């Protein structure tokens, strides 16, 4: 029997084809399956495995438990020329977020800025893939979401706020990479805890507390306890900010009432907040890109602290991961492959292809 922790490789083409096949077999439309698969594989390519195709079993468990509608289509309501709202209708969060950013980009192309609130959605994977959608269209962007309780407010000890990622981006210049920031307000993303649990690994101390409020390196105990906010009260305040803009404003769940992707008790009711902005509103596009080049060069050429070989721009490490994995393949551990193939067997589709 193969070691559950042994690593195998799959190409991005095969990973995407597999994801599309199992999603379509679960009732997701071809268009939406393509969007979901693309977002998941982008995460794997960028090295954000906690939000990659290994999420599929948990998503499909929600479908089987009737708390996520695989056939739902997001609907759009135009509020003003530069403001719209998307209702996810309790479908996959990926199509809802994709439609929101697509709409925001279209409005920004005409009016300079576009803002879209999303309600009644679900987990939309790695925020950076939505930021990338804007960057590829030559736009700056903000991407906010709220999420299920995992973080205490500063001074508290119970789960209330979500580990909700803050993401934004801007196109780079001729001699720089795009700026893509995607970070959780906790010391580490909660998805990394689930990843460690799946892989039978420990987590670093300082990431989380167990249910008794004690530091733990056990992912199972961490998930019963709380994640720790980065920077103490600062991380806590950022998590609350995500709830204001994504939950309160949209009409979705907020204040600890979002249902997590591994909780089968009901619909997620997640909210998102998405903004696209033209980078040439205040100067020419050429000048903007030139200024981005200067910023990039000043950042990466900064004097290095002891022990540091290279300084990276936000999102640059992930871009380098993507370039490498496009050539070499996406690494998965055997336990993740087994879980994916179990879904394939259940649905009557082919197993995921592995590189030999």
């Amino acid at each position: 029997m193969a070691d559950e922790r042994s690593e195998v490789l799959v190409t991005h083409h095969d990973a995407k084809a597999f994801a599309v096949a199992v999603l379509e077999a679960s009732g997701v439309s071809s268009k939406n399956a393509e969007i979901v698969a693309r977002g998941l594989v982008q995460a794997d390519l960028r090295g954000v495995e906690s939000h990659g195709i290994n999420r599929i079993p948990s998503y499909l468990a929600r479908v089987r438990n009737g708390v996520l509608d695989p056939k739902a289509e997001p609907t759009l309501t135009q509020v003003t020329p530069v403001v719209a709202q998307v209702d996810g209708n309790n479908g996959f969060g990926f199509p809802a977020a994709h439609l929101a950013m697509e709409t925001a980009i279209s409005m920004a192309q005409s009016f300079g800025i576009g803002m879209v609130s999303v309600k009644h959605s679900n987990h939309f994977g790695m925020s950076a893939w939505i930021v990338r959608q804007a960057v590829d269209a030559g736009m700056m962007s903000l991407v906010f979401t709220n999420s299920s309780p995992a973080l205490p407010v500063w001074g508290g000890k119970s789960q209330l706020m979500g580990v909700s990622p803050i993401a934004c981006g801007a196109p780079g210049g001729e001699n720089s990479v795009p700026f893509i920031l995607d970070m959780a307000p906790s010391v580490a993303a909660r998805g990394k805890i689930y990843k460690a649990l799946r892989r039978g690994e420990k987590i670093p101390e300082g990431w989380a507390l167990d249910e008794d409020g004690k530091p733990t390196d056990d992912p199972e105990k961490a998930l019963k306890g709380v994640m720790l906010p980065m920077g103490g009260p600062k991380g806590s305040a950022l998590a609350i900010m995500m709830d204001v803009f994504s939950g309160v404003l949209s009409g979705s769940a907020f204040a600890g009432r979002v249902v997590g992707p591994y909780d089968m008790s009901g619909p997620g009711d997640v909210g998102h907040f998405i903004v696209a902005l033209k980078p040439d509103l205040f100067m020419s596009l050429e000048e903007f890109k030139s200024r981005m080049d200067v910023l990039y060069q000043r950042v990466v050429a900064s004097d290095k602290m002891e022990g540091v070989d290279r300084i990276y721009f936000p999102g640059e490490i992930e871009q380098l991961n993507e370039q490498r994995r496009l050539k070499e393949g996406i690494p998965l551990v055997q336990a993740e492959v087994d879980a994916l193939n179990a879904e394939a067997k259940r649905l009557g589709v082919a197993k995921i292809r592995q590189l030999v």
Side-chain angles (χ1 to χ4, degrees):
M1 180 180 292
D3 184 347
E4 288 189 342
R5 300 186 196 182
S6 63
E7 197 171 85
V8 300
L9 293 171
V10 300
T11 70
H12 65 285
H13 293 299
D14 289 336
K16 184 180 174 183
F18 175 85
V20 168
V22 294
L23 289 165
E24 288 182 343
S26 300
V28 183
S29 70
S30 296
K31 176 184 176 182
N32 288 345
E34 175 78 15
I35 292 170
V36 176
R38 189 164 64 243
L40 292 173
V41 173
Q42 273 196 41
D44 279 323
L45 286 172
R46 290 174 67 83
V48 188
E49 296 95 345
S50 58
H51 289 65
I53 62 170
N54 57 49
R55 284 272 186 163
I56 288 174
S58 67
Y59 290 158
L60 298 188
R62 294 186 62 75
V63 171
R64 288 192 296 273
N65 279 275
V67 294
L68 189 157
D69 183 359
K71 298 181 180 180
E73 293 287 343
T75 52
L76 177 70
T77 301
Q78 196 73 39
V79 180
T80 78
V82 295
V83 178
Q85 183 165 60
V86 168
D87 189 331
N89 294 312
N90 194 34
F92 278 88
F94 296 78
H98 181 272
L99 175 60
M101 181 55 84
E102 184 178 65
T103 304
I105 290 169
S106 178
M107 292 187 292
Q109 287 170 338
S110 298
F111 301 103
I113 189 170
M115 182 183 79
V116 183
S117 177
V118 183
K119 63 181 178 180
H120 309 324
S121 185
N122 280 284
H123 189 262
F124 64 21
M126 172 190 72
S127 297
W129 80 269
I130 310 164
V131 173
R132 176 80 168 269
Q133 184 181 347
V135 166
D136 289 346
M139 293 285 172
M140 303 175 73
S141 64
L142 298 172
V143 176
F144 296 169
T145 186
N146 65 357
S147 56
S148 56
L151 200 73
V153 294
W154 186 245
K157 65 176 184 178
S158 58
Q159 296 180 351
L160 182 62
M161 292 294 107
V163 182
S164 308
I166 302 163
C168 59
E174 298 300 322
N175 299 298
S176 58
V177 301
F179 170 80
I180 297 180
L181 172 68
D182 181 1
M183 69 177 193
S186 56
V187 175
R190 201 178 194 205
K192 292 183 178 180
I193 308 292
Y194 284 109
K195 174 187 169 185
L197 181 65
R198 285 193 303 271
R199 295 189 169 196
E201 299 171 349
K202 298 291 186 181
I203 61 171
E205 287 201 7
W207 278 19
L209 305 177
D210 64 19
E211 55 188 337
D212 296 321
K214 298 177 181 178
T216 182
D217 63 0
D218 185 328
E220 186 173 3
K221 291 181 179 179
L223 291 170
K224 293 178 181 177
V226 293
M227 302 292 296
L228 289 172
M230 65 175 185
K234 296 179 181 180
S236 173
L238 288 172
I240 295 171
M241 181 185 81
M242 294 295 100
D243 217 24
V244 171
F245 280 85
S246 302
V248 176
L249 179 65
S250 69
S252 285
F254 67 103
R257 294 185 176 90
V258 173
V259 176
Y262 298 93
D263 181 349
M264 305 302 160
S265 64
D269 201 18
V270 183
H272 318 309
F273 179 75
I274 290 173
V275 177
L277 182 74
K278 282 188 73 177
D280 56 349
L281 290 176
F282 311 112
M283 64 190 70
S284 70
L285 184 59
E286 292 73 19
E287 184 178 358
F288 174 85
K289 289 185 174 182
S290 175
R291 291 167 69 86
M292 287 298 294
D293 281 341
V294 171
L295 176 61
Y296 173 79
Q297 295 299 334
R298 291 291 300 273
V299 168
V300 300
S302 296
D303 293 336
K304 302 174 184 65
M305 65 184 292
E306 186 177 349
V308 172
D309 295 323
R310 178 175 175 180
I311 294 173
Y312 297 91
F313 207 53
E316 188 172 13
I317 292 175
E318 291 81 1
Q319 180 175 301
L320 293 171
N321 282 335
E322 181 173 355
Q323 292 171 355
R324 186 178 68 255
R325 291 184 175 188
L326 283 170
K327 297 176 181 177
E328 299 176 359
I330 294 168
L332 298 171
V333 298
Q334 190 62 48
E336 292 169 333
V337 172
D338 292 344
L340 292 169
N341 285 336
E343 294 295 338
K345 183 177 180 180
R346 183 182 287 113
L347 294 164
V349 301
K351 293 181 179 181
I352 191 166
R353 291 181 58 188
Q354 303 174 31
L355 287 172
V356 179

